Every structure is written in structure tokens, then in C-alpha cells.
Amino acid sequence: MSDDLKKGLEGVLVAESELSSIDGDAGRLIYRGYTIEDLARGASYEEVLYLLWNGHLPTEDELEPFTDALMDEREVDDDVLATMETLAAADEQPMAALRTAVSMFSAYEPEDDAEPDDLDATLRKGRRITAKIPTALAAFERYRLGEEPVDPNPELGLAANFLYMLTGEEPDDIAAETFDQALILHADHGLNASTFTSMVIGSTMADIYSAVTGGISALSGPLHGGANQDVMEVLIEIDESDLDHREWVEQATAEGRRIPGFGHRVYNVKDPRAKILQERSKELAENGEDKWYNYTTTIEQYLTDEKGLGEKGIAPNVDFYSGSVYYQLGIPIDMYTPIFAMSRTGGWIAHVLEYQTDNRLIRPRARYTGPQDQAFVPIEDR
């Protein structure tokens, strides 16, 4: 047994997976062998869910019942809605509200008596979670605005339906396609912190509700899921300043400020997901306000070329463009990370199921650095 210490488990192989692969030097991401570019531009989020959960892209005959099953599970219990209303009134954080909602879903699970190793039942439970999260999230936001939730629209796919439930209006094709792409891009990404958390919980054969709730909790940390919100807050700060956006960046970097959305634990070049979202941001700008796209492209050009971050292996990641894209879609800034969770739930479920097919309890160890041979003293003599 090796005594080598790997802080943060960096570089440690803990599992084999057929789900996703990242080449950080080439800027390449694949899901089950398909490039993220092909999937984002040619598939729907539902097709990607099917791919992750079933191992292959669906035919038309396979996709229709799969999509119908997701649609049939969109409704959430009135008690869950009441809790979302209570949390909204208490000014709860959206990620905390989502964590509570998913935990509550299990109280209304029709297969709650299924055996822990019944992976078919686990997949059906995961499908219910995936279908209900958009409904609960949208309801929470509506309650925050003092409005009633909007019922799911059975004529719309998962991405378009979420935007509809959020605003009460059906999104146009560009908005729906853009958000669908964003969900695809965030669906899976190797053994990141939240995915690994879900796997650790799943390795105990805990239920999938616990695993997804754990994933949400891990994603809520600022070192994992909140960078897209940070990016947008910086862009708004630029917009509200008296400086030109290039001058603002020059001044900020001179003061030693770190611009969020740059650098990644895995990628040494530009994140392939950022490239796709940059294209969508440009398309949204051509059909609406263009300043957010102009800000991001100027910042990228300045930091990459003039400040030389690209030569240091520091390039834009997916968060750098997802923040402005969501803002262009009219999504509240503090809902960005919950949307990340809404998408990544599909990946968490896939990894738990994959790991449980050949399960072994995940049990690392720590190197003890405390004292040895302490003499015990009874409490009355201390």
C-alpha cells in the first residue's frame, strides 16, 4: 500500500468509466466516444441523457418513449411547491432550495421499496429526479417574484419547458436551442468534485436521491460551481463603471484582480465548451444586445494575447461564456449554478449507475500526523 500523499486526489485513478473523457492539452471532450461539438450541434439534451444512461444514441423509436417518460414525471407534489414558496419567502439561496427539493422528492417516490441493488429501479428514480428539478427550480424563482408557478408544457422539450416555466412565455427557437446546448455542455465532465461526491455516496448503496443531493451540495461550493455567476457579476461591474471595458480590464489586472472564468483544473487550452457557447453568445448578440459578447471577447483577447495567459496554459473555461449567455436569455444570476446542477444531474446518475454495476465501497485513507502514546487522564484530574 503506497504512502504517497496526493492532495485533493489529484492524478489518482479510482474508477474506470465509459461515460466521458477529457484531453486537457488538446481541448477535447467526448461523451461515450462522441465529441462534445457533434453532440451540442446535432443532438438534444434528451438524446444526450439517453446516451449517458443507456450507452448509445437513441433511434427515433427509442427517443419518443424516453422523452414521453420524462415529460410524464415533470409534476412535483404540492408539498414540494409549498416548501419552495416557504424557502423563497425566507430568502433562501437557490442551490439550498434545490438541495431541499431533491431530498423531498424521495418522500413521493413510487418505488421507495426497491432493493438498493435494483439498478433498473435506480435509473427510473433518476429519471424522475431529472424531470422534476426544472419544475421545482422554476417554481422557486416564480415564488421569489411573487408570482404563481407555471405548469409544465407537454409540448416542449426539457430546455424550452424550463424557460417557459421560468418566464411564463414560450422561448423563441434561438433561446431554446441555446439553452439546450448549454445543458448538453454541462451534462458530464469526468470525476469532478460533485460527480465524485455522488459516486462516493452511491458506493455505499445509498439511494439515488441521496447521491444527487450530495452532488448538489458539492457543486454549491464556490470552487466548483459558481464561476459563471462570478463572471457575470464582473461584466455588470464593467458595464456600470466609467471606464471602457478594455480600460477596466487593464486596470483590474494591474491591481492584481483575478478575472473569473479563466483557467481550469484539467484544460491547458481553451475549454471546447467555451468555444461553443461563444458562438451562441455571438448569435444572441446579433439578435439583441451585443455589449456582453463584446465585453467577453475583448477580455479574452486581452488576457490571452497581450497578457500572455494562453502561453501559460490559462484560457477561458465554460463558465466564462455561460454566464453572459444565461444573462442574455434573461435568467437570474443566482440561478446559474442551480442550472448547472439541473444539467449535471444526468451525469451524476450515469456515474452512480455505472459504478454500482461493479460496486466497491470507496474508502481512502489519511496519513495520521497527530500525537502518539498520549497518557489518558481521568476528567476529574484534568
Side-chain angles (χ1 to χ4, degrees), residues 18 20 46 83 86 93 111 131 145 163 228 238 244 251 255 271-272 285 296 330 338 371:
E18 298 179 354
S20 62
E46 285 85 348
T83 299
T86 298
Q93 294 296 314
E111 296 184 86
L145 297 173
L163 295 177
N228 50 12
I238 292 172
D244 173 84
Q251 179 174 305
E255 294 172 351
D271 188 329
T296 51

Coordinates of all heavy atoms in Angstrom, one line a residue, residues 18 20 46 83 86 93 111 131 145 163 228 238 244 251 255 271-272 285 296 330 338 371:
E18 N -16.9 4.6 -18.9 CA -17.1 4.8 -20.4 C -17.9 6.0 -20.7 O -18.3 6.2 -21.8 CB -17.9 3.5 -20.9 CG -17.2 2.2 -20.7 CD -18.0 1.0 -21.2 OE1 -19.2 1.3 -21.6 OE2 -17.5 -0.1 -21.2
S20 N -17.3 9.8 -20.0 CA -16.7 11.0 -20.6 C -15.2 10.9 -20.5 O -14.7 10.3 -19.6 CB -17.3 12.2 -20.0 OG -17.0 12.3 -18.6
E46 N -32.2 15.6 -24.3 CA -32.8 14.3 -24.1 C -32.0 13.2 -24.7 O -31.8 12.1 -24.1 CB -34.2 14.3 -24.5 CG -35.2 15.1 -23.7 CD -35.3 16.5 -24.0 OE1 -34.4 17.1 -24.7 OE2 -36.2 17.2 -23.5
T83 N -43.1 24.1 0.0 CA -41.7 24.3 0.6 C -40.9 25.3 -0.2 O -40.2 26.1 0.4 CB -41.0 22.9 0.7 OG1 -41.7 22.0 1.6 CG2 -39.6 23.1 1.3
T86 N -42.1 28.6 0.8 CA -41.6 29.0 2.1 C -40.1 29.4 2.0 O -39.7 30.4 2.7 CB -41.7 27.8 3.1 OG1 -43.1 27.5 3.2 CG2 -41.2 28.1 4.5
Q93 N -31.0 30.6 -0.5 CA -30.2 30.6 -1.7 C -30.8 29.5 -2.6 O -31.2 28.4 -2.2 CB -28.8 30.2 -1.3 CG -28.0 31.3 -0.6 CD -27.9 32.6 -1.4 OE1 -27.5 32.5 -2.5 NE2 -28.2 33.7 -0.7
E111 N -41.4 3.9 -6.1 CA -40.7 2.7 -5.9 C -39.7 2.7 -4.7 O -38.6 2.2 -4.8 CB -39.9 2.4 -7.2 CG -40.7 2.1 -8.4 CD -39.9 1.8 -9.6 OE1 -39.6 0.6 -9.8 OE2 -39.6 2.7 -10.4
A131 N -36.5 14.9 -14.3 CA -37.7 15.6 -14.9 C -38.2 16.6 -13.9 O -38.8 17.6 -14.4 CB -38.7 14.5 -15.1
L145 N -40.5 36.0 -7.1 CA -41.0 37.2 -7.8 C -42.4 37.5 -7.4 O -43.0 38.5 -7.9 CB -41.0 36.9 -9.3 CG -39.6 36.7 -10.0 CD1 -39.7 36.3 -11.4 CD2 -38.8 38.0 -9.8
L163 N -37.4 27.2 -19.6 CA -37.5 28.7 -19.8 C -39.0 29.1 -19.8 O -39.3 30.2 -19.4 CB -36.9 29.0 -21.2 CG -35.4 28.7 -21.3 CD1 -34.9 29.0 -22.7 CD2 -34.6 29.6 -20.3
N228 N -19.5 30.9 -13.2 CA -20.3 31.6 -14.2 C -21.0 32.8 -13.6 O -21.2 33.9 -14.2 CB -21.3 30.7 -14.9 CG -22.1 29.9 -14.0 OD1 -22.2 30.1 -12.8 ND2 -22.8 28.9 -14.6
I238 N -18.2 46.0 -15.0 CA -17.6 46.7 -16.1 C -18.6 47.7 -16.7 O -18.3 48.8 -17.0 CB -17.1 45.7 -17.1 CG1 -15.9 44.9 -16.6 CG2 -16.7 46.4 -18.4 CD1 -15.4 43.8 -17.5
D244 N -14.0 52.4 -20.3 CA -14.2 51.5 -21.4 C -13.8 50.1 -20.9 O -13.0 49.9 -20.0 CB -13.2 51.9 -22.5 CG -13.2 50.9 -23.7 OD1 -14.1 51.0 -24.5 OD2 -12.4 50.1 -23.7
Q251 N -6.9 48.0 -15.9 CA -6.8 48.5 -14.6 C -6.9 47.4 -13.5 O -6.2 47.3 -12.6 CB -7.8 49.6 -14.3 CG -7.8 50.2 -12.9 CD -8.7 51.3 -12.7 OE1 -8.7 52.3 -13.5 NE2 -9.6 51.2 -11.7
E255 N -4.1 45.9 -10.9 CA -4.3 45.9 -9.4 C -4.2 44.5 -8.8 O -4.4 44.3 -7.6 CB -5.7 46.5 -9.1 CG -5.8 48.0 -9.5 CD -7.3 48.5 -9.4 OE1 -8.2 47.6 -9.2 OE2 -7.5 49.7 -9.4
D271 N -11.2 25.8 -23.2 CA -12.3 24.8 -23.0 C -13.1 24.7 -24.2 O -13.7 25.7 -24.7 CB -13.1 25.2 -21.8 CG -14.1 24.2 -21.3 OD1 -14.6 23.4 -22.1 OD2 -14.4 24.3 -20.1
P272 N -13.3 23.4 -24.8 CA -14.1 23.3 -26.0 C -15.6 23.7 -25.8 O -16.2 24.2 -26.8 CB -14.0 21.8 -26.3 CG -13.7 21.1 -25.0 CD -12.8 22.1 -24.3
A285 N -26.2 37.9 -29.6 CA -25.9 39.4 -29.7 C -26.4 39.9 -31.0 O -26.9 41.1 -31.1 CB -24.4 39.5 -29.6
T296 N -16.9 40.1 -23.3 CA -16.2 38.8 -23.2 C -15.1 38.6 -24.2 O -14.0 38.1 -23.9 CB -17.2 37.6 -23.2 OG1 -18.0 37.7 -24.3 CG2 -18.0 37.6 -21.9
G330 N -32.1 36.0 -20.1 CA -32.9 36.5 -19.1 C -33.0 35.7 -17.8 O -34.0 35.9 -17.1
P338 N -27.6 26.5 -10.0 CA -28.7 25.5 -10.0 C -29.0 25.0 -11.4 O -29.3 23.8 -11.5 CB -29.9 26.3 -9.4 CG -29.3 27.3 -8.6 CD -28.0 27.8 -9.2
P371 N -0.5 13.3 17.6 CA 0.5 12.8 18.6 C 0.3 11.2 18.8 O -0.7 10.6 18.4 CB 0.0 13.5 19.8 CG -1.4 13.8 19.6 CD -1.5 14.1 18.1

